[in-house]
Amino acid sequence: MAILPIIVAPDPRLKVKCDELTHVEEEHVRLLDDMLDTMYDAPGIGLAAPQVGVTKRLIVIDVTESDDSRHTYKMINPKITWFSDELSNYEEGCLSLPEHYANVIRPEQICVEFLDYEGKLKTIDAKGVLATCIQHEIDHLDGTLFVDHITKLRRDLILRKLKKYKSEKKT
Ligand code: NI
């Protein structure tokens, strides 16, 4: 168990297309656990491997609001196999873009295929905030951030502010 440093945008490591895993190894299981700890510590509702500097197709998600009904997803090679025509509009944030939010329109419902912890193929239907979160995290695996879905003007403004935030943090 470990808390990993989260990469803040703009950073070329967040713009990489990540590789699929051919098989699930011990180190990936450990990484998923560390990613989950890192996500809870932040705190956030989702985290993708490139955000901690690993260019593999791994994501963790937990959108539950109360502690007693916690539902964690650890997904390896997640792939959207169906999405609804119906759209939804959620205000999104991202641990790699701290303190910035924007409304993003995405399909309201999706079907996702992924490998679980033990390398077994799983399929789930998701809607609402879970569907949004899964799409946001899978985007990360293709080097796409939520700000890539909004106007260039707004995106440039956010990235400029983050650049400043990062340079101030260093000094
Ligand atoms: Ni994110």
Side-chain angles (χ1 to χ4, degrees):
M1 306 269 258
I3 309 289
L4 308 168
I6 296 173
I7 297 169
V8 172
D11 191 303
R13 289 171 294 175
L14 294 172
K15 305 304 291 172
V16 175
K17 188 166 168 61
C18 298
D19 302 319
E20 277 202 354
L21 256 63
T22 47
H23 50 273
V24 184
E25 287 177 42
E26 187 58 37
E27 61 174 301
H28 304 124
V29 172
R30 214 168 27 237
L31 177 64
L32 283 165
D33 284 336
D34 289 345
M35 283 169 59
L36 206 62
D37 286 342
T38 305
M39 181 192 85
Y40 284 133
D41 179 69
I45 59 171
L47 189 71
Q51 293 180 274
V52 293
V54 180
T55 54
K56 298 279 182 212
R57 302 188 80 82
L58 302 169
I59 62 173
V60 293
I61 288 172
D62 182 353
V63 298
T64 50
E65 281 172 13
S66 83
D67 277 338
D68 16 288
S69 57
R70 214 140 271 297
H71 196 139
T72 300
Y73 292 98
K74 297 171 190 163
M75 299 184 181
I76 299 163
N77 299 343
K79 202 184 291 170
I80 297 172
T81 54
W82 174 84
F83 48 84
S84 64
D85 292 332
E86 197 189 335
L87 303 173
S88 68
N89 188 344
Y90 276 104
E91 188 179 59
E92 296 188 21
C94 180
L95 295 176
S96 292
L97 294 100
E99 287 164 47
H100 291 278
Y101 304 89
N103 280 77
V104 179
I105 296 168
R106 301 182 187 270
E108 159 73 15
Q109 288 187 53
I110 55 169
C111 186
V112 198
E113 205 177 82
F114 61 97
L115 298 177
D116 74 3
Y117 229 45
E118 290 154 352
K120 286 194 192 117
L121 189 67
K122 290 263 169 79
T123 306
I124 60 157
D125 294 309
K127 60 179 180 178
V129 72
L130 178 61
T132 291
C133 190
I134 294 171
Q135 293 175 78
H136 174 121
E137 299 313 327
I138 292 178
D139 264 1
H140 273 298
L141 306 180
D142 295 313
T144 302
L145 303 174
F146 81 80
V147 287
D148 294 317
H149 292 282
I150 62 177
T151 63
K152 187 178 184 306
L153 192 74
R154 187 86 199 282
R155 173 168 63 248
D156 290 348
L157 181 72
I158 291 176
L159 292 175
R160 212 161 45 232
K161 282 185 180 164
L162 283 168
K163 219 176 192 168
K164 192 162 165 255
Y165 161 89
K166 285 206 289 184
S167 65
E168 281 167 357
K169 248 187 133 183
K170 259 181 227 147
T171 53

